[in-house]
Amino acid sequence: MLNRIRQSIVYRIGTLMLLTVLVALSSMVASYIISDAAENDAAAVNLAGSLRAMSYRLSAIAPSGDLAATRDLADEVAQRLAKVLSISDFSASDNLRAARHYNKVMHSWEQEIRPLLESIAASHTAMDSQQLANRLEPFITDVDTLVFDYQTIAEEKINLLRLVQLGSLFATVVLVYLSLYILHRSVEQPLKLLTNRSLSIAQGNFHQPPLEIDSEDELGVLACTINNMSDEIHATHRDLAHRVELKTAQLQKSHEALDFQYRLARRISEGPLPGTELGQWLGEFANVAGLENLDLCLMTPEGEAPYEHLVEGLGNEYCSGSECRMCVNTCGPSEEGESRVYRFPLEVDKRNYGVLMCSLPRGDSLDEEQQQRLGTFADSVTAAIAINEREAQDRRVALLDERAIIARELHDSLAQSLSYLKIQVTRLNRANRRDQVDRVAVEEIIAELKEGLDASYRQLRELLTTFRLQVGPGGLRSILEQSILAYREQHPQISILLDYHLDEVPLTPHEEIHLLQLVREASQNAVYHSQGDRVEISLIQADNHALKVCIRDNGIGISNAPEKRNHFGMSIMQERASNLNGKLQIRRREEGGTEVQFHFVPHYARERELVWREAV
């Protein structure tokens, strides 16, 4: 019981409330019992007091000789005496003072007073009223004593009721004070401490002195729990803060690594990396990755030894700088003397360009993230070397293509003209060997030679202009406008118009070059051979995404069988059209002049059509 009161606030407060209720109930029950006991005290006092008045009446009636009236009044007195006993709190046999006085009154009434009164009323005894009054005086005194006893009993009950109520009030006040004290000490103060601690924890203050609540009740258990929880949260918060710091440091390192990879990738996209700059990138990578000893061996796919060996830190002390194929073939971690070496090949498309090595003290190892960074750096270096090699190969192919184009252009222009001039020279020699020189024929041959030389010189200038031609930032439109401007300056008598509507069409460099050369060739033919004064050039896009190129002039028109010497550019135009998978048409216009039409589908439109077909 005491343990439960000590270990439970609810049980403690419940006990106090129960005691308060018990005191209140006891007070009410006691008051009810006392009130119930005093219910007939007033009637008893009244009855006892009326006996004295009736005694005086009897003392007046009995001497008059009225026996009946005396008996009736005597019966009434007897009844009232009996009634007094019936409403009293005691019986006639009790040993109380009131009971003794009542028995004395009854005995005096029955043995002395009533017989005397009846004897006087029956005239058996002669006694006047004064004598009878004197004789009744002791009886009346006993009746007064009995009335006083009843009054004393009533007063005692009232005093007892007062004592019970005062005791109940005192007990209630004590219990209420005790309850308030216990609530203040065991509930209010601990709750205030717990509330303040909860607010502090809510504000993030987890490291605080423990709550000093030593009770074994619910609030004590709650205080102990909050202390443990605060300590646990503080430890967890401290651990999380430490982990956040570590994670932040890792993220910072990852950010530096990503920034390094981004800058390296951007630098690779800008152009080739020389060895000195690659060494700087290797040093920066070692700093970012937190590695000390790195070796980067660069070699050709066909070579056996590196043409460049870059070292960061001490490098690999067992590296001899030769027979690198052994390093390439043993990629991965390996134990070499007192070192642990990690090797990463610089390999792409089954072509090996060297190896990246990282040396660590024996027993140490790289974590997964460091290995990934090394692999990524090796891939970046490999990509840079492969891009450089691919660009060099592209330049070689482009150079060979340009040489082939130059050879073809020379063959179709200057070579034809020189062949024609050679034929004319042969004719001139034959004419000079004759005995009689035909001056007219010789002059005709010389004129043709001069015309051929002029044509060859003009073709040479056009070829030089063509070979120097480059597509600049302005694209195809810009270079066409420059070419037309040059034609206008050379031939001011010819009106050359350009209608260009391909600004929204993405053309590849290959398409731009061939399209430019085709338009220039057709425009040159119109300017030099049409004998007209107007040339119209239009480049538009049809509804089916095909490009339509049209060059018109208002000259004499192309002949049905054009001579090879004057129209050798047509074969070149046909070849360029076939390179673009297009269709070239050259026809004589009915209204006069020549029209060159070229249709082809650009690369982007062919890819889109292929995607649509696969989707369907």
Side-chain angles (χ1 to χ4, degrees):
M1 182 69 177
L2 293 177
N3 289 333
R4 294 191 62 182
I5 293 175
R6 186 175 60 254
Q7 295 175 358
S8 175
I9 294 177
V10 176
Y11 196 81
R12 195 180 309 160
I13 295 175
T15 302
L16 292 173
M17 292 179 63
L18 180 60
L19 290 176
T20 305
V21 171
L22 289 177
V23 170
L25 290 176
S26 300
S27 175
M28 288 186 289
V29 171
S31 299
Y32 175 78
I33 294 174
I34 294 172
S35 299
D36 183 69
E39 180 181 4
N40 298 319
D41 288 349
V45 171
N46 290 333
L47 288 175
S50 65
L51 290 176
R52 183 174 53 186
M54 294 179 71
S55 298
Y56 286 117
R57 288 177 59 192
L58 285 173
S59 64
I61 294 174
S64 64
D66 189 354
L67 181 60
T70 300
R71 287 182 177 176
D72 292 336
L73 188 57
D75 291 337
E76 186 176 353
V77 171
Q79 291 176 1
R80 290 195 177 190
L81 285 173
K83 189 174 182 180
V84 167
L85 181 62
S86 63
I87 62 176
S88 298
D89 295 334
F90 53 85
S91 61
S93 60
D94 290 340
N95 194 25
L96 297 177
R97 188 181 69 174
R100 292 197 302 270
H101 289 168
Y102 176 79
N103 290 329
K104 182 179 180 181
V105 170
M106 286 294 297
H107 182 269
S108 177
W109 168 258
E110 291 178 356
Q111 299 296 327
E112 296 179 8
I113 302 303
R114 182 169 186 174
L116 177 63
L117 291 174
E118 289 179 357
S119 176
I120 293 172
S123 301
H124 294 161
T125 302
M127 187 175 295
D128 55 13
S129 298
Q130 184 62 38
Q131 292 177 344
L132 182 59
N134 293 331
R135 181 68 181 83
L136 292 176
E137 189 63 29
F139 175 76
I140 293 174
T141 301
D142 292 337
V143 170
D144 289 337
T145 303
L146 180 62
V147 171
F148 179 76
D149 289 338
Y150 277 112
Q151 183 179 352
T152 301
I153 291 173
E155 290 176 354
E156 289 177 352
K157 291 180 180 179
I158 291 174
N159 291 332
L160 178 60
L161 180 60
R162 289 174 181 172
L163 290 175
V164 170
Q165 291 177 346
L166 288 174
S168 299
L169 178 61
F170 177 77
T172 302
V173 170
V174 171
L175 290 175
V176 169
Y177 174 78
L178 186 60
S179 300
L180 293 176
Y181 175 77
I182 292 176
L183 286 174
H184 174 72
R185 185 175 179 276
S186 302
V187 178
E188 182 182 2
Q189 291 181 350
L191 279 179
K192 186 175 181 180
L193 294 176
L194 292 173
T195 302
N196 293 334
R197 179 58 56 86
S198 299
L199 293 176
S200 299
I201 292 175
Q203 294 174 358
N205 187 11
F206 305 117
H207 186 57
Q208 299 184 49
L211 292 171
E212 297 180 356
I213 301 177
D214 299 330
S215 61
E216 300 179 5
D217 52 22
E218 294 88 345
L219 294 180
V221 174
L222 181 59
C224 182
T225 303
I226 290 180
N227 288 333
N228 295 333
M229 180 187 68
S230 179
D231 295 339
E232 191 70 24
I233 293 177
H234 176 65
T236 304
H237 184 268
R238 184 174 54 193
D239 181 63
L240 287 177
H242 179 66
R243 292 169 61 184
V244 167
E245 291 178 358
L246 294 179
K247 200 65 178 180
T248 302
Q250 293 177 0
L251 290 175
Q252 183 65 27
K253 291 183 179 179
S254 299
H255 172 72
E256 294 176 357
L258 289 175
D259 180 69
F260 171 80
Q261 292 296 336
Y262 167 75
R263 291 187 288 106
L264 178 59
R266 186 176 63 181
R267 175 62 186 86
I268 291 173
S269 65
E270 293 175 354
L273 280 174
T276 55
E277 187 176 357
L278 190 57
Q280 295 175 359
W281 284 104
L282 180 63
E284 186 175 353
F285 170 74
N287 185 28
V288 170
L291 302 173
E292 296 180 355
N293 303 322
L294 297 177
D295 293 81
L296 180 61
C297 298
L298 304 179
M299 50 191 281
T300 62
E302 297 80 12
E304 296 290 338
Y307 62 84
E308 189 164 7
H309 183 192
L310 303 176
V311 179
E312 178 63 28
L314 298 178
N316 183 9
E317 59 181 350
Y318 298 97
C319 180
S320 61
S322 61
E323 297 182 358
C324 289
R325 288 294 176 184
M326 295 180 61
C327 290
V328 172
N329 295 330
T330 58
C331 288
S334 61
E335 303 291 341
E336 297 181 4
E338 298 298 326
S339 301
R340 182 177 180 85
V341 181
Y342 288 82
R343 293 182 175 86
F344 298 87
L346 309 181
E347 186 176 2
V348 60
D349 296 334
K350 297 183 179 180
R351 293 172 63 84
N352 192 279
Y353 299 96
V355 63
L356 173 65
M357 291 186 294
C358 176
S359 301
L360 299 174
R362 191 180 184 91
D364 294 345
S365 61
L366 296 176
D367 56 27
E368 184 177 355
E369 185 176 359
Q370 288 179 318
Q371 294 186 39
Q372 290 179 354
R373 291 177 181 175
L374 282 167
T376 303
F377 181 72
D379 293 339
S380 299
V381 174
T382 305
I385 297 174
I387 290 174
N388 294 341
E389 186 180 62
R390 192 177 299 112
E391 289 180 352
Q393 181 65 23
D394 292 341
R395 287 193 294 269
R396 286 194 292 268
V397 172
L399 179 62
L400 294 176
D401 290 341
E402 288 295 326
R403 289 179 178 177
I405 291 172
I406 293 172
R408 184 172 63 245
E409 296 285 352
L410 291 174
H411 177 268
D412 292 338
S413 57
L414 287 178
Q416 298 289 341
S417 298
L418 292 175
S419 297
Y420 173 74
L421 292 175
K422 184 178 180 180
I423 292 173
Q424 298 302 326
V425 171
T426 302
R427 288 178 60 200
L428 182 60
N429 288 331
R430 289 178 181 176
N432 288 331
R433 291 193 191 104
R434 294 176 182 175
D435 295 337
Q436 294 181 354
V437 178
D438 189 354
R439 296 292 180 184
V440 177
V442 170
E443 290 178 356
E444 181 182 355
I445 293 173
I446 291 173
E448 290 181 356
L449 282 172
K450 183 178 179 181
E451 181 181 356
L453 286 173
D454 292 339
S456 298
Y457 182 69
R458 184 179 69 250
Q459 292 170 3
L460 177 61
R461 286 187 301 172
E462 292 177 354
L463 286 175
L464 291 176
T465 302
T466 300
F467 294 153
R468 291 172 181 171
L469 184 63
Q470 294 180 353
V471 179
L476 179 61
R477 180 173 189 154
S478 176
I479 194 64
L480 283 176
E481 291 176 347
Q482 295 177 12
S483 301
I484 291 173
L485 182 62
Y487 289 150
R488 288 172 180 171
E489 292 176 353
Q490 296 174 6
H491 307 278
Q493 74 279 4
I494 300 177
S495 176
I496 304 176
L497 304 177
L498 176 64
D499 185 18
Y500 187 89
H501 294 284
L502 301 181
D503 291 328
E504 288 78 22
V505 179
L507 297 174
T508 64
H510 174 76
E511 292 172 341
E512 287 183 343
I513 290 294
H514 284 290
L515 194 59
L516 173 62
Q517 296 291 5
L518 191 147
V519 173
R520 282 177 55 83
E521 189 68 39
S523 302
Q524 288 176 1
N525 289 337
V527 170
Y528 292 114
H529 303 296
S530 68
Q531 300 180 14
D533 61 356
R534 183 182 179 85
V535 178
E536 297 178 356
I537 304 171
S538 66
L539 293 89
I540 60 175
Q541 185 176 17
D543 295 336
N544 59 351
H545 300 287
L547 301 187
K548 180 180 179 181
V549 182
C550 184
I551 299 96
R552 302 186 186 91
D553 63 68
N554 61 350
I556 60 176
I558 191 170
S559 63
N560 295 330
E563 297 179 3
K564 178 78 173 177
R565 180 174 61 85
N566 295 327
H567 299 282
F568 58 84
M570 293 182 183
S571 61
I572 298 176
M573 292 167 58
Q574 290 288 355
E575 184 175 354
R576 294 190 186 280
S578 63
N579 288 333
L580 294 178
N581 296 322
K583 182 178 180 182
L584 179 68
Q585 291 181 350
I586 304 174
R587 68 179 182 88
R588 185 186 183 91
R589 301 173 65 192
E590 295 179 358
E591 60 271 20
T594 304
E595 181 180 61
V596 178
Q597 288 188 359
F598 173 60
H599 298 265
F600 84 102
V601 179
H603 179 70
Y604 88 95
R606 292 198 302 270
E607 285 188 345
R608 181 182 298 177
E609 184 178 359
L610 180 62
V611 171
W612 287 347
R613 289 179 180 176
E614 291 178 353
V616 173

